[in-house]
Amino acid sequence: MLTRLALPALVAALLATGPAGAQMARTEAPKETAKVVPLSKADVQLSFAPVVKRAAPSVVNVYASHVDKRSSARTSAMEEFMRRFFGEPEGGRGPRGDRAQRSLGSGVLVDADGLVITNNHVIDNMNEVRIALADRREFEATIVMRDTRTDLAVLKLKDVPKGLVPMPFGDADALEVGDFVMAIGNPFGVGQTVTQGIVSALARTQVGSADYQYFIQTDAAINPGNSGGALVDLRGQLVGLNTAIYSQSGGSHGIGFAIPVGMVKAVVDAARDGASVVRRPWLGARIQSVTPDIADSMGLDHPTGVLVASLQAKSPAEEAGLKRGDLILTVDGQEVADPEAFGYRFALKGVQGQARFGILRGTSRQTVAVKLAPAPETRPRDVLKVKTRSPFVGATLVNTSPAVAEEMQVDFPTEGVAVQAVEENSPAAFAGLQKGDIILSVNGLPVQTTKDLERVTRNSLGAWEIAINRDGIEMKSVLRG
């Protein structure tokens, strides 16, 4: 079960290899960037304390709450009865009968001006946030940006104190399996805690906690409350943001996942530039995984890269000269093994300049330059929320465009009406509508825009015949009004 997260270190060492090995270690000191295993008792007694002293002041606790203001006069007799005999509802009740929900997580100071990065799920649906520094000073914070697609959020201290210690960004691409890392956060609300382990795997793509699947896996103990905390290297630099664990009990089983610092930096940079959302480049092509059979047919030693399955007209992919059947192997020299890895690498490129794709076309290896630009909103969204009694009540509907398709990570036709969101326990949910559905027709009348849908739902009817497109499959259903 994958769970999102809201001992002093012991170094596994080899036994000393004898006097000759010890003498070599003394006389031939490795370069600073070299990675070596311990060779002596003295090596085993080394401590991570200097790294912790550098990194720990940059890690904060995040206390988020959602308070619904309620006058005590509105408290019903039944609510008062339930409170007296069964205790406070979850989250408690404020002094005037306010209802409160709370969450606890961690965060990382990334800017001397008070910017903090954390996980979006730590502050999801919350409207009040407080930050506690490592020295236990507390400050109110504002939510600067939420990026649900990466499960990242940027906060800012309202009153910025002097002497903040931001954590420098490291290089997640330089990590190797087996490298030492440390996780710093606030597990279970016990206070700042440091755990140590190694990088267990890189580029994990089947985690399922965000749209962009590309995680660092570590066996450093990560528990609930560590969400948004720092994964640091032995230089005290941020290499990842702890986000999820695999657990059947809710506790750490030694399988934790962190968002690589490259994605963290992209979100922080967007917030620094004053953007309210992160803008990502649009490719305008549908890609697919390479199976062993496809790899064999293309003369590859093993499955790798992503296959171009289709192209949209006038898209950056088409303009760059990509063709159906091309195999994309690299993005600016970085290897991409599957669609998730490609999505991560391409998303980091921003929306200016070019990205160079290394491709295989037939038996020829080539390089193509793809323009970096955001997906265009070719027509207004014209957001619609149907009020008339119908199966669409509770759904948010929008006109399709490349921009909407890119945001929702689905393929849409250039014209149509898409279901952008569905409220729980609404008529739309009970009717089976899902995010990403395309409404094709209602009662035999074609639907091209939200205005079309508004017209055909203007009057309540006894029955509704709805045709939708879901993942390329046309479906029809008849529902009673």
Side-chain angles (χ1 to χ4, degrees), residues 356-369:
R356 301 185 71 81
F357 290 0
I359 68 168
L360 179 66
R361 179 176 295 165
T363 58
S364 172
R365 291 182 180 261
Q366 304 178 26
T367 300
V368 296

Side-chain angles (χ1 to χ4, degrees), residues 162-176:
K162 294 182 179 179
L164 290 180
V165 182
M167 185 176 291
F169 291 128
D171 183 3
D173 288 336
L175 288 177
E176 295 181 300

Side-chain angles (χ1 to χ4, degrees), residues 124-161:
D124 192 26
N125 297 321
M126 301 298 165
N127 55 17
E128 295 181 3
V129 180
R130 292 187 66 81
I131 300 293
L133 304 182
D135 60 11
R136 298 196 291 182
R137 287 181 294 169
E138 291 193 11
F139 301 89
E140 290 187 11
T142 57
I143 300 172
V144 177
M145 176 183 289
R146 301 175 188 261
D147 190 48
T148 57
R149 295 182 62 184
T150 57
D151 191 22
L152 292 172
V154 180
L155 314 175
K156 191 177 191 305
L157 303 186
K158 288 184 178 180
D159 298 314
V160 182

Side-chain angles (χ1 to χ4, degrees), residues 4-305:
R4 281 180 168 176
L5 301 171
L7 314 168
L10 298 178
V11 181
L14 295 179
L15 295 176
T17 57
Q23 180 66 26
M24 181 180 296
R26 287 195 296 271
T27 58
E28 297 183 12
K31 297 179 182 179
E32 288 187 1
T33 56
K35 298 172 182 177
V36 297
V37 297
L39 297 175
S40 67
K41 182 178 179 180
D43 289 344
V44 178
Q45 292 174 335
L46 294 175
S47 172
F48 293 115
V51 181
V52 175
K53 287 178 181 178
R54 286 197 298 270
S58 305
V59 181
V60 303
N61 296 341
V62 178
Y63 302 95
S65 61
H66 182 97
V67 179
D68 291 327
K69 301 297 182 183
R70 294 166 57 90
S71 169
S72 57
R74 295 178 59 193
T75 304
S76 69
M78 178 57 73
E79 286 177 320
E80 181 64 18
F81 174 85
M82 297 293 285
R83 184 187 68 79
R84 289 189 179 187
F85 286 90
F86 297 99
E88 297 289 353
E90 182 180 357
R93 187 186 298 275
R96 293 182 297 107
D98 297 346
R99 293 187 182 276
Q101 296 176 330
R102 296 182 177 86
S103 72
L104 171 69
S106 305
V108 183
L109 277 164
V110 293
D111 192 296
D113 292 331
L115 282 184
V116 172
I117 188 78
T118 187
N119 283 128
N120 183 65
H121 71 258
V122 170
I123 62 164
D124 192 26
N125 297 321
M126 301 298 165
N127 55 17
E128 295 181 3
V129 180
R130 292 187 66 81
I131 300 293
L133 304 182
D135 60 11
R136 298 196 291 182
R137 287 181 294 169
E138 291 193 11
F139 301 89
E140 290 187 11
T142 57
I143 300 172
V144 177
M145 176 183 289
R146 301 175 188 261
D147 190 48
T148 57
R149 295 182 62 184
T150 57
D151 191 22
L152 292 172
V154 180
L155 314 175
K156 191 177 191 305
L157 303 186
K158 288 184 178 180
D159 298 314
V160 182
K162 294 182 179 179
L164 290 180
V165 182
M167 185 176 291
F169 291 128
D171 183 3
D173 288 336
L175 288 177
E176 295 181 300
V177 174
D179 283 353
F180 283 121
V181 287
M182 284 175 288
I184 309 177
N186 183 18
F188 299 109
V190 301
Q192 190 177 89
T193 301
V194 180
T195 57
Q196 170 267 324
I198 63 170
V199 174
S200 304
L202 295 167
R204 287 296 194 206
T205 58
Q206 302 301 319
V207 176
S209 66
D211 284 354
Y212 291 99
Q213 299 288 302
Y214 199 84
F215 292 88
I216 302 166
Q217 182 182 327
T218 179
D219 68 347
I222 297 174
N223 289 287
N226 272 113
S227 280
L231 189 72
V232 303
D233 61 17
L234 294 190
R235 296 181 179 179
Q237 297 177 327
L238 185 69
V239 292
L241 206 75
N242 301 321
T243 296
I245 59 173
Y246 180 84
S247 175
Q248 295 178 333
S249 65
S252 174
H253 287 349
I255 303 178
F257 301 96
I259 299 170
V261 70
M263 186 63 78
V264 173
K265 187 176 184 299
V267 174
V268 171
D269 287 347
R272 281 175 175 158
D273 291 341
S276 58
V277 295
V278 181
R279 302 175 75 204
R280 297 183 174 90
W282 175 51
L283 180 62
R286 186 168 63 85
I287 58 176
Q288 68 181 58
S289 300
V290 176
T291 65
D293 288 341
I294 293 175
D296 186 59
S297 69
M298 299 186 75
L300 300 174
D301 294 334
H302 61 279
T304 188

Side-chain angles (χ1 to χ4, degrees), residues 312 378-379 399-402 412-416 448:
Q312 295 183 34
T378 51
R379 57 183 186 153
N399 291 331
T400 58
S401 70
F412 285 151
T414 54
E415 291 188 354
Q448 294 293 328

